[in-house]
Structures are given as structure tokens and as C-alpha cells.
Amino acid sequence: MNRKLAWYLGSMCLVACCGAPVVAADSATPAWLPGTKVLDWPDEDLSSRMMDGSHQFVERKIAEAERGRDRYWRIDATSRGAYEASIAENRQALREILGAVDPRSAPRMERYGDDNSMAMVAETSGYRVLQVRWDVLPGVTAEGLLVQPKQPAVACVVALADADQTPEQLLGLAPGIDAANQFARRLAEQGCEVLVPVLVQRTLLDTTDKQIQSTRQTCREWIYRQAFHMGRHVIGYEVQKVLAAVDWFRQQHGDSMPTGVVGHAEGGLLALYSAALDPRIDAVLVSGYFESRQRVWAEPIYRNIWSLLRRFGDAEIASLVLPRHLVIEHSPVVTIADHKGDWKTPEAESVQSEFRRIPKLAGFPRPSLIIGDGGQAVGPGSEGALREFLQRLGAAWNANPVRDVPVDLRRDIEPTERHRQTVRQLEQHVQSLVRESERIRDQFFLYAAMPELADLRWSTRKEHPVHPAERFADAARAFRERFQTEAMGHFDEPYQPPSPRTRKVAETERWTAYDVVLDVWPEVFAWGVLVVPKDLKPGERRPVVVCQHGRNGLPRDTLDRDLPAYNNFASRLAERGFITFAPHNLYRGEDRYRWLSRKANTIQATLFSFIIAQHDQILRWLDTLPFVDGQRIAFYGLSYGGETAMRVPPVLEKYCLSICSGDFNQWTTKVASTDQPFSFMRTIEWEMPYWNLGQTFDYAEMAYLMVPRPFMVERGHLDLVGRDAWVAHEYAKVRWLYAQLGLADRTEIEYFQGGHSIHGEGTFDFLHRHLDWPAP
């Protein structure tokens, strides 16, 4: 830095900080950046401090979400019809976030068996038990046991055990559940026709694949992970199975037969959601699953439901059951302890306080809470709860039913294979969505934004007109808004003034580096390292390259740590005359950032809801610096930083170009496919699924949001983040669009013989060319 500029910057610092600048003994460069305050935080891990604040912030936003739900609920209880109309939008919203959106197959029940496993499972003096399967979705059937009374049924009931229990146990055909808690058998003894489905268990996935075994995924998580990315959910699939059973009951008995659902623990969750979605269910008994849901993010991961807490706690879901009949039983549940979430019997006060939040509707039946003396848990399936449930269905309780013990007549029972088939079918359904997703995304974005592009893919004409890039960019604005709010998530809170604080952290003969901290929200700040070349001239404004580290990285990793992945690209670019800024992103600390994203999911946000806001504040601040050209700020990131390149610049148009290194992929395949060796389904990265992203935005669609700005991919042939064929296929779609819009010179891909690292050759040329800065 020349003497005149050093004097100028020092004077700015004097004015801004009301004191003489602190100058290092061996340098005339100020110890903090002029125009800022001194960063006087202790020399601690700013990464941990940022993470702590972000967790505090999202927990505050979760609490605010509960208080703000009223804006979604405008209940009209003047009549049943008026009430149903007033909650219809919320019912549809719940259906969508559960992923219970696919049209169900026509009702069909199959009784099946062979010589060793007969269709007739058991028979008593009062009922027969049949093994059955029924159609749910194309390629998906439900399996279970159907109990048919020998006398006309008093009601039809779907009975749902906890996830790790079998239909046989719930009917007393196999050990594992105490007789008093076999509520499916007890309802059969009361004259109900009862259907007991098989559920996906919480047991570890049955696989010989060592890589998948190392992730310790339960069967429910296995379906959850892949389904979540495709806008589906293991909960939604099982709700569909319940509703398909209701379809069949109605087909057989018509509308006059009362229909109910009863469930315990995981089955209680499904019973509550099923009744909330389907007004044909006349009464529901929810056992062991009803309480405050404010810490749903701490429950098992397969209960992660996108945006749930913005509109719904259990009381709000209960209001979707009203004015029909709801019985809640406070019962004990099995304790689940897992590094991705745990669960135990709810506290009585949590159950009671949530029950009190259920709306009181004049003239409509009130829900019932079955709870023991002193708040003790009872049941599951206590006599008091079952009696109340049956009475709500209009059936009398028989205090002395015939209690024949059913005996399984099958010689060869294979519940393990039955369960394996249940998991396999759901996986196959999700994978069919993965295979179909490219066509769905084309229809969703590309052809919707500019319909005439659809015809070009099949055109045989020799010449084609160039389509106006401005028109495509204008049409893409709505998709950018949807990408930010519905895919990445957005916190509706204004930024704080940045209050920049800085301190010098490194210096060479050619540049000076400063830690920079900027306030974003009260608990959240942005942090990064600004690198200023010393040959800046007074009044000169230069382009900036934002250099982004990857997973578990720190800003200095990109600057001067001599790490082979980064190759000091932030300092190398500074030595070429660029100003560089290396932000810290929150994906450090392994599961701490995953839990942050998990919490955020409950209020329709993700890890990138924080990161986008931090980068927005960084860009605003950079634009105020007298030596920065705010129109020439580029982004270049590796690995998770490359993932950032696909999510932040497409949203923040202040970034004039983006370079994705070591990450560009067929993202849907990468995240949700179960047959690919590089898929995240086979790794610990359980935060990678983003709700419904596979049906809306893959990397081509994210890149479309860059139009007309320059976009580049840097790809090492040996990078195990993906395959060259995946990368080439997805990038070809981007190159094709840019060409149709007359922008072919604004995008390129560079392959190099290397791995997961910054190559820094073609990308550096790309930066010099598009930032209009002379190469050395």
C-alpha cells in the first residue's frame, strides 16, 4: 500500500473511531480497517460463537412461530359447513407438507395365502382374521390383518400399532404386547371390523451394504431421507395407506357405517394426521402421541416435517379433526434414544396444556382427554379410552364380551420378509419419482418461464432465432422468489445495522487481511476475512471475488494455510489485483450445523436461510467501501462452498457471476438415489435433503436463475463428489439455455486432471474476463 493511501485510510479510521489507529510495529498498515470499529472480541473460535448465536436465533423464531399461528386460522363455527370451509386451506397445507399428494388407486382388497401361510389366519367364535393386502398407489400396496366379525359390524376401525410392533402382536396372535393393551383384539371383541396395517419399523435398515450400514439408518429414516427431497414423507405414505383402507371400508359398507382410526405412539401420530386430512373418519383415538410439539426438531429425524410449526402444533392439527370426535389418551411409549433424535413418554403437563389449546366450538362435540389420577399415563388402549372411542362412533360398550384367544393357523409366518417388502415398495415409489424428476422440473421452470423453448428440444430446423435473455430473466424472478422462500427458506426479520468491526490478521508485501464481523440479527453475525491489495490507488474501485470455503472449513483456509484443496486461492487472486473476501459459512462443527438446519426446517427454513442473509449483509457492506466496485462482486466456492455457489448468487443478484467448484451435480440423483455409490443416501450427511427440491430445482434450474449473469463450473475428473457423466449431463442443460438466449460466451465448464480442489486456471481467466480486470 503506498504512503498516500495509507495516510488516507488512517485518517478515515481516525474520524470513524475517534482515536489514532493502532499500527503494527513492523508495518504502516492500520491494525483495523478504516471506517470500522475495532474487533475486540477475544481471540476465540468465531465459528463456534456464530453457531451458538444462530441456534439462539432459530429457537427464538420457533417460539415466535407458535405465537404467530393465528394469522393462518380464521375459524368460522357458525355451522359445520362453514367450519369445514374455514379450515380447508390449512388441511390442504398439511396434506402438502406430509407429502400425501398422490392420487390413490381404486379400492381393492386381496386376501392372499398359500399352503403354508393360509389366507385365514385365525378364527374365534366371534370373528375371523385374514391376511390381506390393499392397493394404495401405483406399485404400492399395504399389508396387514383384517378382522371380520361373524355378526354385522358395529363400526369399521383402522388400528395402528407403534412402528416396531406387528399386526399379530396387536391382535394377540404373537407375544410382545400385554393382553390389556391389545386394542385391535379388544375392538374386534366389541364387534368392530378391524384392519391392522404393517408399518415401517424403527429398526436398523436390513442391508449387507457396509457403506449404508455405517450410517446406522433406521428403516423409517431410509424412506424419510429420499422421500423428503421429492416432496414425499414416510408419514405421508403411511397416512395414504390408512386412507386407502377407509376408501375400501366405504366401498364395502357405504357412508352409513361409522369409521374410526385408533393408534398408539407412531400409530397415534398417523391416526391424528389421517383424521385431520379425511373428514370421512368419524372418530379418532390418539394414544401416546399428543403434546406440545415445539421441540419436534429433537424427536427422531423421520418426524421432521417441513414448515410444520408455522401453522401447526398438535392442537391445530386436532382442530382439523373437529367437529368430529377426538379422544386423546395419555399413555406410555417406548423410549427412543438416537443421535438424530429421541423421544419418551410426554409429560402430563405438556399433554394437558396442549389439549387446552384445542379450540372450543359451541354446539360441537368436545374432545376427550383420558389421563390417570395425578397425571399418570394409562393404557395404551385402556378400557376408558376404548369405551369413549366406541361411544363416539355410536356403538355401545359391551362390558363382558366373549374373549376367545385367537391362535395363528399359519405354519410359515415371515413378518420380516413382509416388512422388507413394505420398505422396498416405498423405496421403489420414491425412486420412480427420482427418475421422472427431470421432466417434471422442465415443465415446472424452463418451459413455464419461456414456453417456446419446449419446441426447440425436438426441432430439425437448421437456423434458430436467439430468444431475448431479458424476457427469460424477467420470467425467472418469480422462480427466484419461490426458490428462496419455498426451497431455501427465508426469515422474515429486518437486518440490524452492520456495525462493522475489524482487526488485521495477516499481511504480506502485497496484501493486508482483516477479520470482519457484521451484525445481521441480534443473535447472528457474519464473519469473514477481507484481503486488500497494497497497490490500491486513491479513488480506485476494484472488483471483489468472494472465496468460499467448504465443509468444516474456515476463512483462512482459503488464504494462507497451504491446504491442497484450496491452494490459497483467496490470496492468489489478491496477488492478481482482486480484492477478495472469504466469508465463514455455518457448515462447521459436524452435527451442530445439521441440528441447526433441522430446527430451521420446522419453520420453513434451512441452513441456507442463514447463509443467504449473511451474504446479503456482506454484499451491502462491501458496496459501501470506497475501494470496491459494487457492480463487480463475484462468487467462487469449493465443495460446500460450491453448493453455496448454486444457492446464494442465484438468489442475491448483487453477485455479478458465480463459479461452482467441486460440487456441481445432478443434485436429485446425488441426494435421493439409492443405487448410486456417490449418493448422500449412503453417508452421514442427513441434512442434505431439501423439501421437494427434486421436483423443482436441480442444479440446472438453480443455474437458470443466474441468467444473464456469467456462470462457470470447475470439475476435477477424479473428484468423488460425483461423476463426470452426471456433471456433463446437468451442465449441458445450462449451456443449452445460455446458447438459446445468445449468452453462450457467458458460461463454460473446465475439466482438469485432479480431485476435490481449486484448480485456479480456467476459472481465474473467467474472472479476469468477466470482471474486466487485466490478467498479470
Side-chain angles (χ1 to χ4, degrees), residues 218-232:
T218 66
C219 297
R220 294 190 75 80
E221 181 186 350
W222 177 253
I223 298 301
Y224 154 79
R225 273 208 208 182
Q226 56 189 284
F228 191 88
H229 198 75
M230 305 309 299
R232 307 299 191 276

Side-chain angles (χ1 to χ4, degrees), residues 453-468:
L453 294 177
D455 297 332
L456 294 181
R457 288 286 175 92
W458 314 109
S459 175
T460 58
R461 293 165 53 187
K462 293 182 179 180
E463 296 182 1
H464 297 280
V466 172
H467 296 268

Side-chain angles (χ1 to χ4, degrees), residues 223-413:
I223 298 301
Y224 154 79
R225 273 208 208 182
Q226 56 189 284
F228 191 88
H229 198 75
M230 305 309 299
R232 307 299 191 276
H233 205 290
V234 62
I235 294 172
Y237 277 123
E238 293 190 324
V239 165
Q240 290 276 53
K241 292 185 177 186
V242 174
L243 301 188
V246 174
D247 294 341
W248 183 79
F249 279 145
R250 287 304 175 103
Q251 180 193 66
Q252 296 299 303
H253 300 286
D255 297 342
S256 60
M257 176 69 73
T259 303
V261 180
V262 53
H264 172 242
E266 218 69 55
L269 176 156
L270 296 172
L272 179 62
Y273 286 159
S274 298
L277 293 187
D278 196 336
R280 299 174 303 170
I281 296 172
D282 299 299
V284 59
L285 167 56
V286 178
S287 177
Y289 183 86
F290 191 89
E291 62 172 318
S292 170
R293 217 42 74 184
Q294 288 300 102
R295 284 180 55 85
V296 66
W297 54 265
E299 295 181 23
I301 190 171
Y302 45 78
R303 291 187 182 173
N304 182 39
I305 299 173
W306 176 248
S307 77
L308 178 72
L309 296 182
R310 292 189 67 182
R311 287 179 187 254
F312 304 106
D314 281 4
E316 285 78 16
I317 295 173
S319 70
L320 297 178
V321 177
L322 303 180
R324 292 165 291 134
H325 297 283
L326 171 62
V327 180
I328 295 166
E329 180 185 50
H330 176 41
S331 68
V333 300
V334 64
T335 297
I336 303 169
D338 186 87
H339 70 287
K340 300 169 196 165
D342 50 36
W343 191 49
K344 62 181 181 179
T345 302
E347 297 293 331
E349 174 53 33
S350 179
V351 177
Q352 292 168 324
S353 62
E354 191 71 9
F355 182 80
R356 288 192 293 268
R357 289 202 318 108
I358 300 174
K360 296 178 176 62
L361 305 177
F364 294 139
R366 279 288 294 153
S368 297
L369 175 61
I370 308 299
I371 190 168
D373 294 339
Q376 291 296 308
V378 297
S382 64
E383 182 170 320
L386 293 179
R387 180 191 300 113
E388 178 73 11
F389 173 66
L390 271 185
Q391 289 174 349
R392 297 288 189 125
L393 283 173
W397 176 261
N398 182 353
N400 297 294
V402 176
R403 289 195 171 94
D404 294 346
V405 177
V407 176
D408 200 320
L409 303 175
R410 295 169 294 182
R411 295 197 298 269
D412 187 8
I413 308 171

Side-chain angles (χ1 to χ4, degrees), residues 664-666 675-678 715-717 719-729 751:
F664 195 85
N665 244 309
Q666 289 182 338
D675 61 349
Q676 297 295 330
F678 301 146
R715 163 69 188 171
H717 287 304
D719 190 344
L720 297 182
V721 76
R723 293 175 167 177
D724 279 359
W726 292 0
V727 177
H729 176 92
Y751 293 94

